[in-house]
């Protein structure tokens, strides 16, 4: 990227909220420190109340980089364990003009930061992001990764399946101009999930541009068990309904598909059990659809992984749909009450 040696690249702060990430934390940080980027860089890890070796590993990383001038790791406490609070704590503890968000189980591709900095300059965007590239380490995780990157699993979500570069409603993780984060006052801590969407919503309301590019890729490690996957997707659905209530008009058919499927399958099963066997056509049709959809999604995977793809798909769909349907209105009211108005740059400016 830096073809002209006289052009100094902007310094970058990488912020990382972590909780119980002993399995992936070291690899995630090493992928950051190994970035093909000539500018100065710091990593700020916000430590939640982990019950595993996460804090110990973080302390080791701090010690190992203490003598480095341009690539050092720091930590900051996040006693609440909540992601938006962790992100705000890390932002406040960081100091550079470009802020890169990474999760403790995310692995940046080697030129991720250099590409993101270039895209910020080329597009004038306030935030750029790319593809959440799910990759597994065992048969179950391979199955989940295949489901998460297939259109039958997540619809046409570009940050899962790819797509053309262009303006976006939100992006995965994100690489921000610090001024945009400070202008909006950081993340809304009431959004336990979907905090990225809410912040990007305010940035867009203020006239800022959010930019998606398939050039940016972060390898993501799926949840290691069926129970963990179900909990993850239930929370996704629960908070997507909060977003729909928070911002009318943000819902679309892709988000309505899982709750519709849950209702249709439940109704079909009930009709089939109580009235006529024809009711079982609906759940049977759904089962046939995910079995057929699993075939192309599992191409190249071991047999054991391919056989688990329908389980992963059904878990994702049903958990997301159930979370959406059972999302309490009181939660949305609490979040709406915490709404922060978008702050425009001209309104925030001061004269010297």
């Amino acid at each position: 990227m830096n073809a002209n040696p006289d052009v100094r690249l902007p310094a970058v702060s990488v912020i990382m909220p972590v909780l119980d990430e002993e399995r992936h934390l070291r690899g995630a940080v090493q992928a950051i420190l190994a970035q093909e980027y000539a500018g100065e860089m710091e990593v700020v890890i916000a430590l939640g109340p982990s019950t595993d070796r996460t804090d110990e590993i973080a302390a080791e990383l701090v010690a190992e980089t203490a003598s480095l001038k341009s690539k050092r790791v720091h930590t900051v406490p996040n006693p609440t364990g909540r992601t938006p609070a962790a992100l705000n704590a890390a932002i406040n503890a960081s100091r550079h003009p470009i802020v890169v968000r990474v999760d403790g189980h995310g692995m940046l591709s080697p030129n991720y930061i250099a590409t993101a900095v270039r895209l910020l300059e080329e597009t004038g965007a306030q935030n750029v992001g790319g593809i959440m590239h799910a990759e597994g380490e065992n048969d179950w995780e391979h199955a989940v990764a295949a489901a998460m990157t297939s259109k039958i699993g997540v619809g046409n979500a570009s940050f899962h399946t790819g797509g053309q570069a262009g303006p976006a409603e939100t992006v995965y993780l994100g690489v921000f101009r610090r001024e945009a984060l400070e202008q909006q006052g950081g993340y809304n801590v009431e959004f336990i999930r979907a905090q990225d969407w809410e912040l990007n919503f305010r940035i867009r309301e203020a006239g800022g541009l959010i930019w998606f590019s398939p050039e940016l890729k972060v390898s993501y490690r799926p949840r290691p068990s069926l129970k963990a996957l179900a909990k993850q997707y239930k929370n996704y659905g629960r908070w997507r309904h909060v977003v729909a209530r928070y911002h009318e008009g943000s819902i679309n058919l892709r988000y309505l598909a899982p709750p519709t499927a849950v209702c249709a399958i439940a109704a079909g099963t009930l009709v089939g059990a109580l009235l006529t066997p024809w009711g079982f056509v609906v759940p049977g049709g759904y089962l046939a659809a995910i079995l057929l959809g699993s075939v192309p999604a599992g191409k190249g995977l071991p047999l054991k992984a391919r056989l688990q793809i329908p389980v992963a798909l059904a878990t994702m769909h049903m958990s997301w749909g159930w979370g959406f349907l059972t999302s309490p209105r009181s939660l949305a009211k609490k979040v709406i009450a915490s709404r922060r108005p978008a702050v425009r740059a001209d309104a925030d400016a001061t004269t010297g």
Side-chain angles (χ1 to χ4, degrees), residues 262-284:
V262 170
C263 292
I265 290 170
T269 302
L270 191 62
V271 169
L274 299 179
L275 298 176
T276 171
W278 284 104
F280 291 118
V281 169
V282 176

Side-chain angles (χ1 to χ4, degrees), residues 142-144 146-147 293-294 297-298 301 304-314:
H142 286 316
V144 177
S294 297
L301 292 180
K304 190 174 179 180
R306 296 202 305 269
L307 292 174
Q308 294 182 81
I309 294 175
V311 178
L313 286 170

Side-chain angles (χ1 to χ4, degrees), residues 247-303:
H247 177 48
E248 293 182 7
S250 67
I251 203 71
N252 60 41
L253 291 178
R254 177 165 66 90
Y255 297 126
L256 292 176
T260 300
V262 170
C263 292
I265 290 170
T269 302
L270 191 62
V271 169
L274 299 179
L275 298 176
T276 171
W278 284 104
F280 291 118
V281 169
V282 176
Y286 172 77
L287 179 59
I290 62 172
L291 289 173
L292 289 173
S294 297
V295 175
K299 188 176 180 180
L301 292 180
L303 177 61

Side-chain angles (χ1 to χ4, degrees), residues 5-326:
D6 296 326
V7 177
R8 186 174 180 179
L9 293 171
V12 170
S13 295
V14 182
I15 60 171
M16 178 182 288
V18 298
L19 180 69
D20 294 329
E21 288 288 1
E22 69 172 1
R23 184 179 172 193
H24 300 301
L25 179 57
R26 176 170 287 278
V29 173
Q30 288 175 338
I32 297 166
L33 299 177
Q35 284 290 294
E36 298 170 0
Y37 186 70
E40 185 179 352
M41 187 189 313
E42 67 174 351
V43 182
V44 182
I45 304 173
L47 295 170
S50 296
T51 58
D52 59 11
R53 294 184 60 252
T54 295
D55 288 12
E56 182 181 337
I57 294 169
E60 292 171 357
L61 291 165
V62 170
E64 290 165 10
T65 61
S67 61
L68 302 179
K69 291 184 178 180
S70 60
K71 293 184 177 181
R72 297 182 63 180
V73 177
H74 312 275
T75 61
V76 62
N78 173 37
T80 70
R82 293 183 171 185
T83 299
L87 291 166
N88 286 342
I91 291 167
N92 292 336
S94 65
R95 55 198 174 92
H96 294 322
I98 305 297
V99 178
V100 180
R101 177 186 169 176
V102 184
D103 285 341
H105 46 270
M107 309 291 170
L108 299 184
S109 52
N111 62 347
Y112 181 90
I113 291 177
T115 302
V117 171
R118 171 177 60 80
L119 288 171
L120 285 172
E121 179 64 26
E122 289 177 354
T123 65
Q126 301 299 307
N127 180 21
V128 298
I131 295 174
M132 176 183 177
H133 184 65
E135 293 182 326
E137 296 181 331
N138 54 47
D139 288 327
W140 166 252
E141 291 180 4
H142 286 316
V144 177
M148 291 180 69
T149 54
S150 68
K151 290 191 174 181
I152 191 173
V154 294
N156 62 349
S158 58
F159 69 85
H160 281 295
T161 61
Q164 293 191 350
E169 182 181 88
T170 190
V171 290
Y172 178 56
L173 300 179
V175 177
F176 299 83
R177 298 179 190 271
R178 175 177 292 277
E179 60 197 37
L181 293 172
E182 293 181 344
Q183 181 181 312
Q184 299 305 327
Y187 290 84
N188 184 334
V189 295
E190 294 297 337
F191 271 80
I192 309 305
R193 299 286 186 275
Q195 64 274 159
D196 295 311
W197 180 91
E198 193 277 337
L199 175 59
N200 286 319
F201 172 68
R202 281 186 282 130
I203 291 174
R204 288 186 294 107
E205 266 199 329
L209 174 66
I210 311 299
W211 189 266
F212 166 82
S213 174
E215 292 183 75
L216 299 172
K217 185 170 75 171
V218 180
S219 294
Y220 168 87
R221 300 293 185 253
R223 295 297 192 270
S225 67
L226 188 150
K227 181 179 179 180
L229 181 68
K231 181 180 178 181
Q232 177 188 19
Y233 272 79
K234 180 184 176 183
N235 282 329
Y236 281 171
R238 176 186 177 97
W239 281 91
R240 185 61 232 189
H241 205 163
V242 171
V243 167
R245 288 165 169 159
Y246 179 90
H247 177 48
E248 293 182 7
S250 67
I251 203 71
N252 60 41
L253 291 178
R254 177 165 66 90
Y255 297 126
L256 292 176
T260 300
V262 170
C263 292
I265 290 170
T269 302
L270 191 62
V271 169
L274 299 179
L275 298 176
T276 171
W278 284 104
F280 291 118
V281 169
V282 176
Y286 172 77
L287 179 59
I290 62 172
L291 289 173
L292 289 173
S294 297
V295 175
K299 188 176 180 180
L301 292 180
L303 177 61
K304 190 174 179 180
R306 296 202 305 269
L307 292 174
Q308 294 182 81
I309 294 175
V311 178
L313 286 170
T315 301
M316 290 162 56
H317 294 161
M318 297 298 103
S319 298
W320 203 104
W322 181 250
F324 188 95
L325 291 169
T326 58

